[in-house]
């Protein structure tokens, strides 16, 4: 049995489903706890893509008003590739990670946390997590990643940041 205590808070819910207890907002079509939560921006920026073609993805780190949960959303893409403005909690991402903190993972591993079907969603989110310091490149293979030893500390630091503006995800034109 692997110890996942490095990611677990005392009040975390069951991680066995691989999905968040909240179902992420997807292009204004899913009414859920995530789409109804008034997420607040604690950080926004650009992260370098992981591939050899370069480019950057814009992102926001979001926090719920109570300061209990963090979430990520991709807000832009400077290069090729589709993406979704879906909001996904860090808790949902954590459930996709390997049990062993030393085990490496592929960028697409994080895609399981998302509802959207974009093949780029996982790698783009992984790029953001690398840029923020939650993941690091694995020493033995440049295209694989490892959970940073400071994962929980970083999460606590982001939860403690002053929240900025409320974030309202964009919807596609013509969609109801």
């Amino acid at each position: 049995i692997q110890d996942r205590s490095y990611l677990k808070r005392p009040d975390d819910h069951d991680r066995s489903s691989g999905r968040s207890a909240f179902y992420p907002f997807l292009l204004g079509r899913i009414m859920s706890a995530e789409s109804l939560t008034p997420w607040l921006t604690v950080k926004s920026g650009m992260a370098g893509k992981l591939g050899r073609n370069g480019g950057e993805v814009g992102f926001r780190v979001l926090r719920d008003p109570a300061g209990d949960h963090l979430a990520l959303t991709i807000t832009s893409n400077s290069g090729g590739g589709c993406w979704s403005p879906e909001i996904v909690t860090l808790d949902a991402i954590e459930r996709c990670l390997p049990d062993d903190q030393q085990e490496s993972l592929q960028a697409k591993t994080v895609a399981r946390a998302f509802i959207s079907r974009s093949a780029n969603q996982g790698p783009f989110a992984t790029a953001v997590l690398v840029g923020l310091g939650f993941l690091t490149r694995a020493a033995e293979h440049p295209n694989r990643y490892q959970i940073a030893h400071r994962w929980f500390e970083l999460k606590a630091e982001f939860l403690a940041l002053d929240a900025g503006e409320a974030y309202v995800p964009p919807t596609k034109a013509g969609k109801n």
Side-chain angles (χ1 to χ4, degrees):
I1 296 176
Q2 300 291 335
D3 178 21
R4 291 186 70 134
S5 61
Y6 63 94
L7 291 175
K8 191 164 178 71
R9 293 186 329 196
D11 61 338
D12 273 348
H13 52 277
D14 179 28
R15 296 175 185 272
S16 61
S17 70
R19 295 268 185 206
S20 174
F22 306 101
Y23 294 95
F25 173 80
L26 178 60
L27 303 176
R29 293 180 287 203
I30 297 175
M31 292 305 292
S32 64
E34 314 261 95
S35 62
L36 300 174
T37 298
W39 292 102
L40 304 172
T41 301
V42 293
K43 182 174 179 69
S44 62
M46 300 293 285
K49 290 184 185 178
L50 304 172
R52 60 183 165 273
N53 294 333
E56 293 181 313
V57 292
F59 68 91
R60 285 185 188 234
V61 177
L62 307 170
R63 187 186 79 203
D64 69 326
D68 295 329
H69 299 281
L70 288 176
L72 295 178
T73 187
I74 305 298
T75 58
S76 66
N77 175 12
S78 70
C82 296
W83 54 277
S84 165
E86 177 181 348
I87 295 171
V88 65
T89 64
L90 217 54
D91 293 337
I93 291 172
E94 288 173 358
R95 285 189 298 278
C96 297
L97 301 176
D99 290 336
D100 182 356
Q101 188 175 7
Q102 299 304 313
E103 185 180 331
S104 64
L105 59 120
Q106 296 177 313
K108 65 183 180 181
T109 301
V110 176
R112 294 190 318 247
F114 291 89
I115 291 174
S116 68
R117 291 177 279 177
S118 170
N120 294 323
Q121 208 68 13
F124 287 0
T126 299
V128 171
L129 292 169
V130 169
L132 294 172
F134 285 95
L135 296 176
T136 61
R137 289 196 182 262
E140 77 279 359
H141 197 285
N143 293 325
R144 294 185 70 87
Y145 306 89
Q146 286 183 296
I147 301 161
H149 294 289
R150 294 192 59 233
W151 180 285
F152 189 71
E153 291 173 43
L154 286 169
K155 192 173 174 181
E157 288 172 17
F158 277 102
L159 285 169
L161 290 174
D162 290 331
E165 64 188 48
Y167 175 69
V168 178
T171 57
K172 285 189 176 181
K175 299 283 183 186
N176 292 338

